[in-house]
Each structure stands twice: as C-alpha cells, then as structure tokens.
Amino acid sequence: DIVLTQSPGTLSLSPGERATLSCRASQSISSSYLAWYQQKPGQAPRLLIYGASSRATGIPDRFSGSGSGTDFTLTITRLEPEDFAVYYCQQYGYSPTWTFGQGTKVEIK
Amino acid sequence: EVQLVESGGGVIQPGGSLRLSCAASGFTVSSKYMNWVRQAPGKGLEWVSALYGGASTYYADSVKGRFIISRDTSKNTLYLQMNNLRADDTAVYYCATISGSYLDCWGQGTLVTVSS
C-alpha cells in the first residue's frame, strides 16, 4: 500500500508569508491521482487541488500545486487569515482506494 | 447547488449497529460515485467505503465484513450500515462525491461514538 507522508507537521507563519507544504509518496504515483484538501476546525474538508496542479472551482490563485513521481508540493503564495487550517494530500489507488497524508497544520505565528 | 447532509450518528455500545444516512440534493445519487470517509477525534482522514454505479462496492480493510454501503434512489440517499462496532470506529463520518480520483463535494459529517 502507498503511504503519503506530509511535512512539516506544523508550519508557523505570519499572514502575508509564503507557505510550502510537502507530500511524499512511498512509491511513484500518477500526478493525475494526487489531490489536496483544506480543513478548518469543525468543518468538512474542502477540495483545493486535483491532478496535482489544477485548482478546484472557486479556489484563489494564491494556492498552487506541483510535483510528480513521489514528491508533491502545495504552495500558498501570500497567507490570508482564512488560510490557517490543516491541509491533507490524497492519492487514489486502483482497488479503488483513497489514501490521505497525516496532514500539515498551518498556524499563525 | 450540490449538497450532502449526513445524519444517524450517536452514541452506541461496542458490538452494536448503526445506520448513517447521507441525503443528497442538487444531483441524483444514481449519477455519481460516492464515498464515506471518517475522521477520529483529533486525527486525520481515513477512507471507509465507496459505491460505484448500482452494485460495485469497496471497503477499507478495517471495516470489511462489518460495514455495508448502499443507496436508495427513491430517497436520493446514500447509507452506511455499520455492524459490530468497535471503539476505534469512533469518528466523524463524512459522505463525499467522487469525481475521477478525488472527492469534490463533502457533507458536514455526523459523529459516531462507540462507548460503553
């Protein structure tokens, strides 16, 4: 089974700063099968990025995704107050299965 | 507008059964593949089960043989029948629509607590 490892566990930044979140897969995966979600306390996850780099409907362009093979990145260019949340990467397997990373919390410094 | 509303959660004793519902609006459940995903308190997301088409069902190993996913098109509702519940099934359960390889619309979740 593919394992997704996200780093860092917690990212402490100030509004306006750039956030770089990493998601590493235990084996190579198709970029088409890598997505990112945002979750705020008490809320359901929200799809941000699919296919590693495509923004979901309504997602601001300060969010971008990149990567291939085993290494993927979510970048938030200028953190807004509403961006402080937990972010999960997810990969799709053929069984089918959906596997999530353990999450990265972006907190206000 | 696509909307999913889960219900049916609550407190249940170990070994008990519970059925969760996910009422859909803005689309028909027969037109979408759908998932259940859960999140234990303070933990990350865990995929539970998927329903493809009318009869193709898939389960995580942790729930296989105990949980059953189904739908009722007349009620436009997805279900998760959970049997032989264990303490480690305690979680918020979300239903979500599947779009290719990702989950594009999520409900607000319903909390299941397995405790004596």
Side-chain angles (χ1 to χ4, degrees), chain A residues 1 32-35 37 39 42-47 49-51 88 90-92 95-102, chain B residues 34-35 37 39 43-47 49-50 52 58-61 94 98 100-109:
Chain A
D1 291 358
S32 299
Y33 297 156
L34 195 286
Y37 301 84
Q39 187 179 33
Q43 296 185 17
R46 177 176 72 146
L47 177 68
I49 302 286
Y50 63 93
Y88 294 95
Q90 169 253 307
Q91 75 92 22
Y92 167 81
S95 299
T97 59
W98 285 260
T99 304
F100 296 89
Q102 82 279 16
Chain B
M34 298 192 70
N35 255 344
V37 174
Q39 186 170 36
K43 302 298 184 182
L45 301 168
E46 179 189 18
W47 172 70
S49 181
Y52 276 38
Y58 305 91
Y59 301 93
D61 288 343
Y94 298 100
I98 301 167
S101 63
Y102 53 90
L103 308 180
D104 58 348
C105 180
W106 298 64
Q108 87 291 347

Side-chain angles (χ1 to χ4, degrees), chain A residues 25-109:
Chain A
S26 57
Q27 56 187 277
S28 183
I29 62 175
S30 169
S31 298
S32 299
Y33 297 156
L34 195 286
W36 290 91
Y37 301 84
Q38 176 194 66
Q39 187 179 33
K40 297 179 181 179
Q43 296 185 17
R46 177 176 72 146
L47 177 68
L48 292 178
I49 302 286
Y50 63 93
S53 60
S54 297
R55 276 187 299 276
T57 302
I59 301 303
D61 59 8
R62 63 179 181 274
F63 290 92
S64 64
S66 63
S68 64
T70 60
D71 291 303
F72 298 87
T73 301
L74 175 69
T75 301
I76 312 171
T77 50
R78 294 172 308 280
L79 282 165
E80 298 287 342
E82 63 267 27
D83 299 336
F84 292 91
V86 179
Y87 293 84
Y88 294 95
C89 58
Q90 169 253 307
Q91 75 92 22
Y92 167 81
Y94 285 108
S95 299
T97 59
W98 285 260
T99 304
F100 296 89
Q102 82 279 16
T104 290
K105 181 180 182 180
V106 178
E107 65 175 21
I108 300 176
K109 186 175 182 179

Side-chain angles (χ1 to χ4, degrees), chain B residues 81-103:
Chain B
Q81 176 66 43
M82 305 186 296
N83 301 319
N84 193 19
L85 283 160
R86 311 185 305 220
D88 61 357
D89 294 318
T90 294
V92 174
Y93 285 74
Y94 298 100
C95 64
T97 56
I98 301 167
S99 182
S101 63
Y102 53 90
L103 308 180

Side-chain angles (χ1 to χ4, degrees), chain B residues 54-99:
Chain B
S56 298
T57 59
Y58 305 91
Y59 301 93
D61 288 343
S62 58
V63 306
K64 200 171 293 183
R66 300 188 299 124
F67 289 12
I68 300 170
I69 189 172
S70 64
R71 71 184 183 196
D72 184 335
T73 54
S74 67
K75 293 182 169 61
N76 210 31
T77 298
L78 178 75
Y79 299 103
L80 186 68
Q81 176 66 43
M82 305 186 296
N83 301 319
N84 193 19
L85 283 160
R86 311 185 305 220
D88 61 357
D89 294 318
T90 294
V92 174
Y93 285 74
Y94 298 100
C95 64
T97 56
I98 301 167
S99 182

